[in-house]
Amino acid sequence: MKKISSVLLFFLVMSQTVYADFDVQEAIDAAKPGAIISIPTGHYKGNFVLTKKITLRGEQGTELVALGNEPVLRIDGSTKVTIENMTLSGTKQAIVASDVDGLELRHLKMKDIHAGVHIQRSKNVRIQHIEVTGKQAHYSKKGNGLAIFQSEDVVVEDANINHVQDGIYVEEVKNIRVQNNTIANSRYGMHFMYSSNAQAFHNTYQNNVTGLMIMMTSNISIKGNHLANHNGLNSYSMLLYDVQQAVVELNTIKNNRTGVALQKSTGIHIASNDFQMNQTALEGTKVDGHSKVTNNQFTGNILTARSDHQGFLLSNNYYDDYAGIDLENDGMGDVPYVAVSSFGQWMVRQPVYQYFVASPSVVLLTSLDQQINKTEKSVLVDVTPKLMMDQITEKSRTNIKQLLLGFLIIIASVWLWRRGMME
């Protein structure tokens, strides 16, 4: 047994000695364009620079550690660069890439750092399966998990980012798709500035100050995301400021101080989202008359919507506090739904007021709000509210009937088959 242990220890020491002798920068400098450099398992200290077409591929347990305040890895003026399968750590930035055409970052882990990846003036960028964990500190003392400036044709997917300032910061970027990422415990989960043709699909944003901060951006599509637990004093699951042409669709927006806020925005289409248990589901200020909110579901929210005098269009939505009936049996309520609530707005400002929500005076105030707004045809009125629960029940009955019919067909088919076998 002692001999076996000695042999294993010998090989372990020898392998560590071999890895210690490997010089990462020397290998990069000596490699021809297009080469693949495999970095053996081990810890390598340095500030590595790459300026050619190359692939850096770590083995299991490979870690690059920065010296001082310089980035762990700097990539300048190159084409078709791939960095994959390694851990990067240091006091400042993990990766800084400038003027790169064809950058791929895959299966990277960045830990205990000020900032993760900084990309500028680059195109054809693909970032997959990265994990970024910042240091425990105030947001003002942290950097971004992933920051992209003045670039185009970017894809970010399957990233997991925690404890940074902004999970993904995007500025002056054209054609970017961000999908299947999870961003938590940061200031903004995702921050868009001065960008165009952007897509945010199937991401999870939770426990940030604000999930999505979108500013001065045009042609953005936000679909299939889960945004939850943004509950600070000035928190939003999603804030659109000075945005032109946006589609917000099929998202789950749950347990936020404000679900979706629109400010100075035009051409916004909010459709088929599930708003659950938010203090305010929708908020609008200086929203154009062409923006609309349709086919959404509002359940358990303290206040459905509030806005300035301009308001925005509500149509064909389901509201769990709608008390109308459907005499025409067309799935729509026969009287309009009025989203305006004076008490609801007070309650959002002073949450302690929620304890009086069912008191006679509040019920009377809400009734007066609704009657006044019906008479004056004010903003935030849905004239075609859906009775979704009735539709869901009918759909369930239809599905049960189809299931039973299918089951009977299967039994009959088996019986006929067995009868034919016996004959």
XYZ file of all heavy atoms in Angstrom, residues 137-171:
272
model
N -19.681 43.530 -2.426
C -19.435 44.960 -2.208
C -20.651 45.729 -2.701
O -21.569 45.161 -3.296
C -18.165 45.415 -2.932
N -20.664 47.040 -2.444
C -21.746 47.867 -2.958
C -21.656 47.923 -4.487
O -20.578 47.806 -5.067
C -21.647 49.286 -2.383
C -22.844 50.133 -2.700
N -22.903 50.939 -3.820
C -24.037 50.283 -2.059
C -24.071 51.558 -3.852
N -24.779 51.174 -2.800
N -22.827 48.128 -5.144
C -22.865 48.153 -6.611
C -21.895 49.174 -7.196
O -21.307 48.948 -8.254
C -24.282 48.462 -7.099
C -25.309 47.464 -6.638
C -26.440 47.879 -5.933
C -25.153 46.112 -6.891
C -27.392 46.963 -5.512
C -26.100 45.189 -6.467
C -27.214 45.614 -5.775
O -28.141 44.710 -5.355
N -21.739 50.301 -6.527
C -20.860 51.364 -7.049
C -19.401 50.938 -7.078
O -18.582 51.557 -7.766
C -21.020 52.631 -6.210
O -20.624 52.392 -4.862
N -19.043 49.909 -6.343
C -17.663 49.448 -6.291
C -17.445 48.189 -7.125
O -16.398 47.548 -7.025
C -17.268 49.192 -4.830
C -17.301 50.457 -3.973
C -16.868 50.176 -2.551
C -16.895 51.463 -1.711
N -16.485 51.203 -0.306
N -18.438 47.857 -7.943
C -18.323 46.675 -8.789
C -18.303 47.075 -10.257
O -18.740 48.151 -10.635
C -19.506 45.732 -8.555
C -19.622 45.197 -7.141
C -20.831 44.277 -7.034
C -21.000 43.755 -5.626
N -22.136 42.817 -5.517
N -17.820 46.181 -11.095
C -17.908 46.360 -12.529
C -19.032 45.497 -13.095
O -19.778 44.850 -12.365
N -19.144 45.479 -14.405
C -20.194 44.719 -15.063
C -19.761 43.280 -15.323
O -18.577 43.006 -15.535
C -20.564 45.387 -16.387
C -21.058 46.813 -16.194
O -21.851 47.084 -15.294
N -20.588 47.730 -17.024
N -20.742 42.392 -15.347
C -20.427 41.010 -15.675
C -19.959 40.882 -17.111
O -18.933 40.261 -17.409
N -20.704 41.506 -18.014
C -20.371 41.498 -19.433
C -20.733 42.864 -19.993
O -21.883 43.290 -19.897
C -21.150 40.394 -20.147
C -21.091 40.336 -21.667
C -19.661 40.160 -22.150
C -21.960 39.207 -22.187
N -19.772 43.557 -20.582
C -20.000 44.887 -21.156
C -19.594 44.879 -22.618
O -18.487 44.436 -22.959
C -19.212 45.942 -20.388
N -20.503 45.366 -23.493
C -20.252 45.361 -24.931
C -20.505 46.769 -25.480
O -21.596 47.318 -25.305
C -21.151 44.350 -25.651
C -21.031 42.968 -24.991
C -20.796 44.256 -27.131
C -22.046 41.966 -25.484
N -19.514 47.348 -26.155
C -19.597 48.711 -26.674
C -19.325 48.722 -28.182
O -18.445 48.017 -28.673
C -18.562 49.620 -26.002
C -18.716 49.751 -24.513
C -18.158 48.805 -23.660
C -19.410 50.814 -23.962
C -18.292 48.931 -22.279
C -19.540 50.948 -22.590
C -18.985 50.002 -21.742
N -20.080 49.533 -28.903
C -19.812 49.834 -30.318
C -19.484 48.571 -31.122
O -18.466 48.500 -31.815
C -18.658 50.837 -30.414
C -18.965 52.170 -29.747
C -17.780 53.115 -29.748
O -16.635 52.689 -29.698
N -18.047 54.402 -29.819
N -20.353 47.610 -31.006
C -20.132 46.331 -31.681
C -21.386 45.913 -32.426
O -22.439 46.558 -32.324
C -19.719 45.264 -30.663
O -18.508 45.618 -30.007
N -21.293 44.801 -33.188
C -22.452 44.332 -33.937
C -22.409 42.817 -34.119
O -21.345 42.202 -34.061
C -22.535 45.023 -35.293
C -21.349 44.829 -36.194
C -21.486 45.605 -37.502
O -22.286 45.185 -38.348
O -20.798 46.640 -37.650
N -23.606 42.262 -34.317
C -23.770 40.818 -34.516
C -23.206 40.037 -33.333
O -22.152 39.378 -33.408
C -23.103 40.374 -35.818
C -23.717 41.052 -37.037
O -24.942 41.275 -37.024
O -22.975 41.370 -37.980
N -23.939 40.130 -32.222
C -23.500 39.544 -30.955
C -24.559 38.562 -30.449
O -25.760 38.835 -30.522
C -23.262 40.640 -29.897
C -22.833 40.028 -28.562
C -22.228 41.647 -30.385
N -24.119 37.415 -29.926
C -25.002 36.449 -29.289
C -24.429 36.128 -27.910
O -23.243 35.812 -27.774
C -25.131 35.147 -30.103
C -25.968 34.121 -29.349
C -25.756 35.424 -31.465
N -25.288 36.218 -26.895
C -24.904 35.840 -25.535
C -25.937 34.840 -25.040
O -27.125 35.156 -24.968
C -24.865 37.056 -24.587
C -24.419 36.615 -23.192
C -23.954 38.143 -25.133
N -25.500 33.635 -24.687
C -26.459 32.625 -24.261
C -25.889 31.719 -23.172
O -24.692 31.486 -23.091
C -26.931 31.788 -25.454
C -25.843 31.124 -26.247
C -26.371 30.489 -27.530
O -27.608 30.436 -27.716
O -25.541 30.043 -28.350
N -26.811 31.256 -22.323
C -26.484 30.296 -21.267
C -25.429 30.825 -20.299
O -24.577 30.062 -19.825
C -26.022 28.966 -21.870
C -27.102 28.317 -22.718
O -28.227 28.176 -22.226
O -26.825 27.985 -23.889
N -25.486 32.117 -19.999
C -24.582 32.694 -19.001
C -25.260 32.717 -17.635
O -26.486 32.797 -17.526
C -24.173 34.105 -19.410
N -24.450 32.661 -16.597
C -24.937 32.760 -15.221
C -24.120 33.852 -14.537
O -22.911 33.687 -14.324
C -24.765 31.414 -14.506
C -25.548 31.358 -13.204
O -25.750 32.383 -12.556
N -25.966 30.173 -12.813
N -24.765 34.972 -14.213
C -24.050 36.147 -13.717
C -24.644 36.591 -12.384
O -25.864 36.761 -12.267
C -24.113 37.291 -14.745
C -23.528 36.826 -16.094
C -23.372 38.519 -14.238
C -23.653 37.842 -17.211
N -23.778 36.799 -11.391
C -24.227 37.160 -10.046
C -23.311 38.204 -9.420
O -22.104 38.231 -9.675
C -24.211 35.915 -9.137
C -25.439 35.060 -9.298
O -26.463 35.314 -8.680
N -25.332 34.034 -10.131
N -23.902 39.050 -8.566
C -23.159 39.965 -7.694
C -22.208 40.885 -8.478
O -21.022 41.010 -8.164
C -22.378 39.177 -6.640
C -23.246 38.379 -5.712
N -24.081 38.977 -4.775
C -23.432 37.051 -5.595
C -24.729 38.039 -4.115
N -24.368 36.863 -4.594
N -22.758 41.528 -9.518
C -21.991 42.518 -10.269
C -22.797 43.816 -10.311
O -23.876 43.908 -9.722
C -21.688 42.017 -11.701
C -20.792 40.790 -11.651
C -22.975 41.703 -12.456
N -22.275 44.835 -10.998
C -23.051 46.067 -11.136
C -24.198 45.846 -12.125
O -25.349 45.768 -11.732
C -22.156 47.222 -11.587
C -22.871 48.566 -11.602
C -21.939 49.707 -11.939
O -21.795 50.071 -13.094
N -21.290 50.280 -10.927
N -23.913 45.728 -13.395
C -24.913 45.345 -14.385
C -24.526 43.979 -14.940
O -23.375 43.781 -15.344
C -24.976 46.356 -15.528
C -25.487 47.716 -15.068
O -25.945 47.830 -13.918
O -25.423 48.670 -15.868
N -25.487 43.079 -14.978
C -25.163 41.742 -15.475
C -24.636 41.791 -16.893
O -23.541 41.309 -17.189
N -25.408 42.377 -17.809
C -24.982 42.569 -19.200
C -25.253 44.021 -19.570
O -26.401 44.461 -19.558
C -25.727 41.623 -20.157
C -25.480 40.152 -19.766
C -25.294 41.858 -21.598
C -26.268 39.156 -20.586
N -24.211 44.761 -19.876
C -24.331 46.164 -20.267
C -24.054 46.267 -21.764
O -23.019 45.785 -22.258
C -23.344 47.041 -19.490
C -23.433 48.501 -19.857
C -24.345 49.335 -19.218
C -22.621 49.045 -20.851
C -24.439 50.676 -19.564
C -22.702 50.374 -21.199
C -23.620 51.194 -20.550
O -23.724 52.518 -20.905
N -24.969 46.901 -22.502
C -24.878 46.981 -23.960
C -25.017 48.447 -24.374
O -26.020 49.087 -24.056
C -25.993 46.144 -24.619
C -25.954 46.287 -26.128
C -25.870 44.679 -24.219
N -24.031 48.977 -25.092
C -24.077 50.370 -25.535
C -23.613 50.492 -26.981
O -22.532 49.995 -27.335
C -23.198 51.245 -24.632
C -23.237 52.722 -24.988
C -22.455 53.584 -24.007
O -22.492 53.290 -22.790
O -21.815 54.549 -24.460
